[in-house]
Amino acid sequence: MDRKRIALLLAFCEALVAVPLYGIYTAPVQFFGATGYWSPMTLMLNTLSVVFLILPLAALYGVFRNQRYGYWCLGLFPMVALVFGVTAIPFVKHLYGSAVLLNSVFIIVINTGMCLAAVWLYHTRTPK
């Protein structure tokens, strides 16, 4: 399989993870005007929640066009997903149980693997 197709498959998987989790990226709109909305930590989380949706869509478009930013977005999404406790691969959450510590280990391992795969794909891509 071609490396670009692998990158497109990973970008599609990331988009498949991000889009259905609308509770994450609509949180800034839902909690607008709440007490402490303008505190720095809340603003950072609100920014990350919007980036949670933008990164996989930008990765999908950028990898399709074989642009450098697409691979960067492909590698950054698992780090943002780690903040929200989400794996970067869809349907993986059904493989592990309800132990919180074990879930965290699975999420960290899967997201780190996705970051390393994105780095490998970035370095082996054919420049445009």
Side-chain angles (χ1 to χ4, degrees):
M1 185 181 271
D2 186 24
R3 287 183 177 93
K4 183 179 177 182
R5 286 186 182 180
I6 294 171
L8 277 172
L9 180 67
L10 290 179
F12 181 73
C13 285
E14 288 181 356
L16 195 62
V17 166
V19 172
L21 295 174
Y22 59 87
I24 293 175
Y25 57 85
T26 59
V29 177
Q30 292 174 357
F31 300 122
F32 183 75
T35 305
Y37 183 81
W38 297 104
S39 69
M41 189 64 161
T42 306
L43 285 176
M44 184 187 72
L45 283 174
N46 288 340
T47 305
L48 280 177
S49 65
V50 172
V51 168
F52 181 80
L53 179 65
I54 293 172
L55 278 177
L57 298 178
L60 194 60
Y61 181 74
V63 168
F64 181 73
R65 307 251 320 160
N66 201 22
Q67 297 292 320
R68 181 181 294 177
Y69 71 87
Y71 292 89
W72 280 88
C73 293
L74 188 67
L76 287 175
F77 176 74
M79 291 182 235
V80 174
L82 186 62
V83 171
F84 296 107
V86 179
T87 60
I89 300 176
F91 310 116
V92 173
K93 64 182 176 182
H94 300 294
L95 295 179
Y96 46 84
S98 61
V100 177
L101 183 61
L102 190 60
N103 292 352
S104 300
V105 170
F106 276 123
I107 291 170
I108 289 170
V109 167
I110 290 169
N111 287 358
T112 303
M114 286 289 288
C115 286
L116 292 175
V119 168
W120 176 73
L121 289 167
Y122 173 74
H123 285 295
T124 59
R125 74 182 175 94
T126 54
K128 200 169 198 185

